Amino acid sequence: LTCGAGWFGRLGQGTTTNSYIPRQTSLPSEVRCSRVHCGTHHTCVIDAKGSLWVCGKDVSICKTTPGHQLDFTLFEPFVGFEASKTVKSLATSDDHTLAIVADDSPDFGGTELWCWGRNKYGQLGFPASSCSSLSWPAQLKIPGCETMGPDASHLHAQVVAGPRHCLLLASRSSGCGRSRAGEPTVYGWGSLTAGRLGFTHAEVGKGLNFQDGCPPRPLAPSWKVVPTTAAPEPASMTTLTTTEFAAEAGETRDEDSEGGKPMNFLQAQEQLWAE
């Protein structure tokens, strides 16, 4: 059942009109839905077998046509993967999608990360200046995170997407597609503005073209593990001086030039990125 704005046929009801009450979609009756992911102009459904079904704006679901048909109003099987691949994790945001897939063929183990759609901010992991969008799925291979074959070192566990950046959780692998105990690795890429990826200027490096976005890289050691049971009260906010905030970010500042004036964390972060 879907409801809401029917832009580009994203509700899968066979029309582009709005639906103010939940209505049946166009999925075949034998399909058993497992997960649903909603982008701005398209919708993705993963069924119980790991197959992907899509509807919505053509450029968001790899259905570009000579006449640029803007709306695919009925759910259709996604044709961007081989039949042997099943979707394990998927993330959508705006007009881009990322999917972790496994190859069920007997000669391979592990997982692959595929992406398609808009790449204006490098949110697909490729330089935005040379690849503003992908009209067909492309595999994103992250250095140090080789994941296919019997000797795969990592397994892509989960991917999440924001409008301008994406994150990947990768776990260690013991080979043949089996995970093993150990510290997982979180990778991030895309736009660096507003501190989305948590990197300081020193960590990013001077050679990076900010227009291309940040390429995939491990987030550690910038991020710290915070137990969920230790979340601060909503009304509380840590207050730091400018110098204290710079120290937290791994940078040095002149106390006299900044005056050590107290500011809350968000104000300090905005000032740091403005510079």
Side-chain angles (χ1 to χ4, degrees), residues 64-228:
T64 53
T65 58
H68 191 55
Q69 181 179 348
L70 292 179
D71 51 284
F72 286 80
T73 61
L74 301 176
F75 277 103
E76 300 179 3
F78 186 65
V79 296
F81 301 140
E82 300 173 1
S84 61
K85 298 185 186 299
T86 56
V87 179
K88 300 301 182 182
S89 177
L90 186 137
T92 62
S93 181
D94 285 2
D95 291 322
H96 62 280
T97 304
L98 296 96
I100 296 175
V101 301
D103 195 319
D104 294 334
S105 60
D107 297 331
F108 292 93
T111 54
E112 297 173 334
L113 178 60
W114 291 76
C115 53
W116 62 91
R118 292 188 64 194
N119 188 49
K120 182 178 180 180
Y121 306 101
Q123 64 266 44
L124 296 183
F126 301 99
S129 60
S130 59
C131 177
S132 61
S133 65
L134 289 172
S135 59
W136 194 253
Q139 184 179 357
L140 178 58
K141 297 182 179 181
I142 301 176
C145 188
E146 301 300 330
T147 59
M148 289 303 297
D151 298 322
S153 60
H154 286 76
L155 288 174
H156 298 120
Q158 185 176 4
V159 63
V160 293
R164 300 188 180 190
H165 72 297
C166 296
L167 301 177
L168 167 72
L169 176 65
S171 61
R172 299 288 295 177
S173 170
S174 58
C176 298
R178 296 187 298 269
S179 61
R180 74 183 184 198
E183 189 72 19
T185 302
V186 178
Y187 294 85
W189 59 89
S191 174
L192 284 160
T193 59
R196 285 177 176 84
L197 299 178
F199 296 143
T200 65
H201 292 279
E203 290 173 310
V204 170
K206 296 181 179 180
L208 181 66
N209 181 357
F210 278 69
Q211 298 299 322
D212 283 339
C214 179
R217 56 172 293 165
L219 297 185
S222 299
W223 287 25
K224 300 177 182 179
V225 177
V226 178
T228 55

Side-chain angles (χ1 to χ4, degrees), residues 23-106:
R23 299 183 185 278
Q24 189 74 34
T25 69
S26 60
L27 281 167
S29 59
E30 66 272 14
V31 173
R32 295 293 180 264
C33 298
S34 176
R35 284 161 287 171
V36 178
H37 299 268
C38 300
T40 301
H41 301 126
H42 68 299
T43 304
C44 300
V45 171
I46 303 173
D47 66 21
K49 297 180 180 180
S51 299
L52 179 60
W53 298 74
V54 295
C55 68
K57 192 174 182 180
D58 56 352
V59 296
S60 301
I61 59 176
C62 301
K63 294 282 287 187
T64 53
T65 58
H68 191 55
Q69 181 179 348
L70 292 179
D71 51 284
F72 286 80
T73 61
L74 301 176
F75 277 103
E76 300 179 3
F78 186 65
V79 296
F81 301 140
E82 300 173 1
S84 61
K85 298 185 186 299
T86 56
V87 179
K88 300 301 182 182
S89 177
L90 186 137
T92 62
S93 181
D94 285 2
D95 291 322
H96 62 280
T97 304
L98 296 96
I100 296 175
V101 301
D103 195 319
D104 294 334
S105 60

Side-chain angles (χ1 to χ4, degrees), residues 242-243 252-260:
T242 310
T243 303
T252 59
R253 288 173 179 262
D254 185 353
E255 179 75 25
D256 293 336
S257 62
E258 296 291 342

